[in-house]
Amino acid sequence: MCGITGITDKQIEKFEEAIQKMTSCIAHRGPDDDGFFVDDHIALGMRRLSIIDLESGRQPISSADGHLLIFFNGEIYNYLELKTELEKQGQEFKTESDTEVILKIFEVHGVEGFKRLRGMFAVAIYDTTHQKLVLARDPFGIKPLYYWKRGNKIAAFSSEIKSFLALRGFRAEVNDAAVYNYLSFQYNPLEETFFKDVFKLAPGHTLTLDIKTGAYELKRYYQFQFDQNNSLEEEETKKEILTTIEDSVAHHMIADVPVGSFLSGGIDSSIIATLMQKIRGTKQIKTFTVGFQSLSEGKEAKETSDPLDTDHTEILVSAEEYFDALPKAIYHFDEPVADPSAIGIYFLAREARKSVKVVLSGEGADELFGGYNIYLEPFARARVSWMPSWLLQIIAKLPVRGRNFAQRILTKLEDRYIGNASVFTSSEVNQIWKGEPQDKFSLEKIYQDVSGQSDSTKMQYIDINTWLVGDILAKADKMTMAHSLELRVPFLDTEVAKVAATLPDRFKWSDGVTKHLLREAFRSVLPESTRNRRKLGFPTPVKNWFTEERQDLYDLILENNYIRSHLDVRVIEKLIEEHVSKKRDNSRKIYLLLMLALWYNEFIEHGHS
């Protein structure tokens, strides 16, 4: 069930009509049903994708005394256990849905009750007696939730920003600070979005709003923290990893509709698909992979799907199909995310939706278990610790192999690592940006939280708090929901996270191998070729697609009004020329600028609503 909206500002006229317009903007998130609550103080709405309790799970659901009601987007995987516990305490239920369980948990435990939920969610609970609204977002930010502030008051909220465009009084204006930071990060790391006055509710947070006064409070209820236990035994920990992930996959398969799996060919999605097939038994699960005509993971994916005997589908996407889909994808993104693999997910979701309503996928494993190759860099640094700094400084200035590595060694981690996907460096941003000066997103507080950890663990923590939610989960949610497909991520279960938090560095990285103990835990479960495979993740050949024949794409960038007024076009022209002539691979920078241009054209230039 996949989209919620709300209006909390009495200045917005015609509550009922306005909430219906807002909610219709996100009909793709829930094509099966809708639900509304409107009184003199608030208007709430939802679109439903029916997954659990298809008959009686309609929203809103009210408390027994009628003074509380809930609108909910997501799934709670331990709702049956929680329901049994509550029934033993004398609570009675009128539906079989997980939505009602959340409401009962809130009645008993208040906002602290959100800690007890295993799942993905964006929740709105309204107290009709006291006119108080509580919004909550899941611990890792799997499901999105935005709110619009008019002045100092919250005027509306929604699962997608585009809902606000339907409201009279909302002006779609560019937030330059978000664009400025997007140039470095490839997504917007700020709390405020690309639209001025529109904010994201942060993962693991609640927002409590007093409708009468307009006062509101943001509060964190969940914070993932590393708590490494160096006394752990390897064999026991391997078993715990295996059983915990298997339990999570089993819980994530709970549904009253068909469930399938994305399968990239890498270890993470292979673990998910393998466990699903084990749980399902003789009944085949459906698996899906996407490739491109010049680059495909079909062979790797089949090395997992064939031994499992899954009902496997592979689709191939051409360059023309890819670029034709970009405007549709940017519409569903709301904010540009310059990750080329996102469009692969768009096509994959479109194909999967033909036969299933839910898919499981491997997002989160790299961040929790240490899967990115960049996490190995501190170990490489340690191996050259014998080199004097003056020698490294010389190497860093010469046009020789190892120059970039030397430059990174000479720079403190906190001053150079902003996450997995740095595109334009700080100096390059200063060179290309000609708009008003903006502040760069500060990672200082996040680094302080892990000041006593190793550099590799610090990198993990940065990614969990920025890249994971801003890129990985954003593209997973938006590209699947574009096709009314629910994506679930078993690695980001809070029980799995508890285990991952305790792993010492030696269990994550060993002899140049990432996710060491995760791979070992599944030694007897996965084919060796799969278990030892390097990270894949639906790679996209945009480097080879930005050729001299694609002047249409370059014109989109160079003629864009925002880019011409805020960025140095001469720098961009040079980037394109260098790439087309194959002097330098500037594909990521060009792609980032293309997505920015498409976003501006869609939401600002054309005044989309």
Side-chain angles (χ1 to χ4, degrees):
M1 47 196 72
C2 290
I4 61 175
T5 56
I7 300 172
T8 56
D9 185 351
K10 295 172 189 173
Q11 291 183 347
I12 297 174
E13 299 174 356
K14 299 178 180 177
F15 262 19
E16 192 160 345
E17 179 183 327
I19 195 67
Q20 287 182 353
K21 283 183 179 179
M22 277 188 79
T23 309
S24 68
C25 290
I26 58 169
H28 51 274
R29 296 187 76 91
D32 297 333
D33 196 7
D34 60 18
F36 298 94
F37 173 84
V38 181
D39 67 10
D40 293 337
H41 314 289
I42 195 168
L44 302 169
M46 65 85 61
R47 293 291 312 201
R48 186 184 183 208
L49 184 68
S50 305
I51 304 293
I52 292 174
D53 191 11
L54 308 187
E55 297 301 321
S56 63
R58 291 199 68 191
Q59 298 181 27
I61 290 177
S62 300
S63 58
D65 60 9
H67 86 279
L68 288 181
L69 57 87
I70 182 171
F71 285 89
F72 161 58
N73 162 28
E75 305 292 347
I76 305 303
Y77 305 116
N78 64 335
Y79 82 100
L80 291 174
E81 295 97 316
L82 292 173
K83 184 178 181 181
T84 299
E85 176 188 318
L86 290 164
E87 285 175 331
K88 289 179 180 176
Q89 296 171 5
Q91 298 286 341
E92 295 181 357
F93 291 82
K94 55 191 175 186
T95 74
E96 299 300 320
S97 71
D98 51 352
T99 308
E100 189 177 10
V101 173
I102 302 172
L103 187 60
K104 294 284 188 183
I105 284 286
F106 180 79
E107 282 189 274
V108 175
H109 300 285
V111 293
E112 289 297 303
F114 294 118
K115 292 179 182 177
R116 308 196 63 204
L117 305 179
R118 287 177 68 180
M120 55 182 185
F121 54 87
V123 177
I125 297 175
Y126 181 54
D127 183 331
T128 59
T129 303
H130 299 98
Q131 294 174 37
K132 288 192 176 178
L133 175 72
V134 174
L135 303 178
R137 191 176 178 198
D138 64 67
F140 290 102
I142 303 166
K143 284 296 171 186
L145 193 57
Y146 303 92
Y147 57 96
W148 166 38
K149 286 176 66 177
R150 182 149 63 174
N152 292 322
K153 293 188 176 181
I154 293 171
F157 69 87
S158 179
S159 293
E160 294 190 11
I161 298 171
K162 61 180 64 65
S163 289
F164 304 133
L165 301 173
L167 293 176
R168 189 175 297 170
F170 178 81
R171 293 182 60 192
E173 295 183 75
V174 183
N175 174 19
D176 289 345
V179 181
Y180 179 83
N181 282 280
Y182 163 78
L183 296 174
S184 290
F185 287 83
Q186 92 171 22
Y187 61 90
N188 168 28
L190 305 179
E191 183 181 337
E192 190 173 7
T193 69
F194 262 64
F195 296 82
K196 276 186 181 176
D197 302 323
V198 176
F199 296 81
K200 308 161 191 167
L201 181 60
H205 277 71
T206 58
L207 186 158
T208 302
L209 171 64
D210 188 321
I211 302 296
K212 295 193 294 287
T213 66
Y216 69 92
E217 179 186 22
L218 289 164
K219 185 178 179 182
R220 181 188 287 277
Y221 71 87
Y222 177 93
Q223 171 72 69
F224 175 84
Q225 292 179 319
F226 284 105
D227 186 20
Q228 296 187 6
N229 183 353
N230 285 300
S231 66
L232 290 177
E233 295 290 335
E234 183 162 329
E235 288 304 314
E236 288 181 10
T237 309
K238 284 195 306 189
K239 290 176 185 174
E240 186 178 18
I241 290 172
L242 178 61
T243 56
T244 304
I245 295 175
E246 185 170 7
D247 173 74
S248 178
V249 170
H251 275 81
H252 280 69
M253 289 176 69
I254 295 172
D256 296 327
V257 295
V259 179
S261 176
F262 285 169
L263 185 60
S264 72
I267 184 175
D268 306 331
S269 61
S270 294
I271 286 172
I272 301 297
T274 299
L275 292 176
M276 286 180 71
Q277 190 60 73
K278 177 184 175 185
I279 293 164
R280 188 64 59 83
T282 56
K283 187 177 178 181
Q284 284 183 312
I285 65 162
K286 291 182 180 293
T287 53
F288 306 88
T289 194
V290 63
F292 302 92
Q293 289 177 349
S294 56
L295 179 65
S296 174
E297 293 182 319
K299 175 177 172 290
E300 290 84 353
K302 281 181 72 64
E303 286 181 12
T304 299
S305 65
D306 282 354
L308 288 176
D309 191 30
T310 68
D311 182 358
H312 187 63
T313 301
E314 179 190 3
I315 58 168
L316 286 175
V317 179
S318 69
E320 284 306 312
E321 288 175 307
Y322 183 96
F323 286 118
D324 284 348
L326 285 184
K328 299 171 192 170
I330 203 71
Y331 168 76
H332 285 287
F333 258 128
D334 281 342
E335 297 187 273
V337 174
D339 187 336
S341 68
I343 314 304
I345 299 175
Y346 178 88
F347 284 101
L348 195 60
R350 187 177 72 180
E351 180 64 29
R353 187 61 176 86
K354 295 174 184 177
S355 52
V356 299
K357 219 169 181 179
V358 176
V359 289
L360 273 57
S361 191
E363 281 81 359
D366 289 312
E367 290 79 10
L368 288 180
F369 289 92
Y372 295 117
N373 288 329
I374 192 71
Y375 298 158
L376 296 172
E377 189 179 86
F379 300 100
R381 290 181 66 170
R383 287 196 293 273
V384 296
S385 59
W386 57 270
M387 294 180 70
S389 60
W390 61 264
L391 179 57
L392 288 169
Q393 288 169 354
I394 292 173
I395 296 172
K397 293 174 183 176
L398 296 174
V400 295
R401 185 178 180 184
R403 174 189 178 185
N404 291 338
F405 182 58
Q407 290 174 340
R408 290 197 297 273
I409 287 177
L410 290 166
T411 309
K412 195 169 73 167
L413 180 72
E414 288 80 349
D415 295 332
R416 63 181 170 81
Y417 190 74
I418 63 170
N420 234 288
S422 173
V423 181
F424 288 93
T425 65
S426 293
S427 60
E428 289 171 335
V429 171
N430 292 335
Q431 187 182 19
I432 198 173
W433 181 262
K434 69 176 188 182
E436 290 293 317
Q438 303 293 328
D439 292 331
K440 186 170 182 180
F441 177 66
S442 174
L443 294 165
E444 184 178 355
K445 172 65 172 64
I446 304 175
Y447 269 114
Q448 285 175 355
D449 290 344
V450 281
S451 59
Q453 304 282 2
S454 68
D455 278 0
S456 294
T457 301
K458 288 177 182 177
M459 294 163 106
Q460 278 183 277
Y461 194 74
I462 292 295
D463 285 341
I464 288 168
N465 285 278
T466 56
W467 159 261
L468 177 64
V469 63
D471 183 296
I472 299 296
L473 294 175
K475 71 186 183 189
D477 174 81
K478 301 297 178 64
M479 295 299 92
T480 52
M481 287 278 76
H483 301 288
S484 308
L485 179 73
E486 180 171 279
L487 181 138
R488 301 177 176 183
V489 283
F491 283 109
L492 290 176
D493 181 85
T494 48
E495 294 302 310
V496 175
K498 284 178 188 175
V499 176
T502 66
L503 301 181
D505 284 5
R506 71 180 189 276
F507 283 178
K508 289 180 280 191
W509 307 289
S510 178
D511 296 326
V513 175
T514 59
K515 290 185 288 202
H516 163 65
L517 208 62
L518 180 66
R519 296 177 192 274
E520 288 299 309
F522 287 86
R523 177 180 285 276
S524 62
V525 178
L526 297 177
E528 278 298 288
S529 59
T530 302
R531 196 178 65 82
N532 292 315
R533 189 171 295 137
R534 62 182 177 81
K535 178 162 180 60
L536 298 171
F538 305 132
T540 310
V542 289
K543 172 185 174 182
N544 303 322
W545 288 346
F546 285 129
T547 62
E548 59 185 11
E549 285 80 30
R550 296 314 312 232
Q551 191 59 44
D552 58 325
L553 300 177
Y554 309 140
D555 288 344
L556 261 174
I557 298 170
L558 296 168
E559 295 172 7
N560 180 268
N561 286 332
Y562 184 85
I563 286 176
R564 292 183 70 83
S565 63
H566 287 74
L567 304 179
D568 192 326
V569 173
R570 293 169 301 175
V571 174
I572 299 172
E573 287 173 335
K574 184 180 179 184
L575 289 173
I576 294 170
E577 186 278 324
E578 286 178 342
H579 186 83
V580 168
S581 63
K582 299 185 178 178
K583 293 177 186 173
R584 188 169 293 157
D585 177 9
N586 289 327
S587 58
R588 288 179 61 208
K589 293 173 180 174
I590 296 170
Y591 188 84
L592 180 148
L593 295 167
L594 176 62
M595 293 300 276
L596 172 61
L598 288 169
W599 173 82
Y600 184 81
N601 290 346
E602 174 71 26
F603 289 103
I604 309 297
E605 188 81 8
H606 299 159
H608 185 90
S609 63

